[in-house]
Amino acid sequence: ALTVPPRSFFAALALLLAAVCAQEEPRPVALAGGASVDGTGAPRREAVTVVIHRGRITAVGPEAEVPDGAEVVDDAGKTLIPGLVALG
């Protein structure tokens, strides 16, 4: 059986904890200016902004607030449809 001296174990644990804490917070992404079809039968909405943070949609609409530091992607001329991903 492999034994690890307690001092080495705690040093490795401290390094791992420091690495985890040093990871940057993911930046939000704002898809701005595209159209949106929501699949409910509602009319197509123009000039919509969709904000995504940590893999979740956090805001949708023409007045959606874009968080400071967000990566903004110009989606003018494109249409967002929920459930259809990477089709073009």
Side-chain angles (χ1 to χ4, degrees):
L2 177 65
T3 59
V4 177
R7 190 175 268 170
S8 296
F9 172 77
F10 287 113
L13 184 61
L15 285 173
L16 178 62
L17 181 59
V20 169
C21 291
Q23 291 180 354
E24 290 185 29
E25 177 74 17
R27 287 175 53 191
V29 176
L31 307 175
S36 174
V37 177
D38 64 15
T40 65
R44 171 184 161 122
R45 295 168 58 186
E46 300 294 333
V48 172
T49 297
V50 177
V51 180
I52 303 166
H53 188 60
R54 294 184 184 147
R56 304 240 182 238
I57 296 173
T58 58
V60 178
E63 303 295 324
E65 186 175 326
V66 176
D68 290 338
E71 176 184 350
V72 179
V73 178
D74 181 6
D75 267 0
K78 298 179 180 163
T79 301
L80 301 168
I81 302 172
L84 296 180
V85 179
L87 292 178

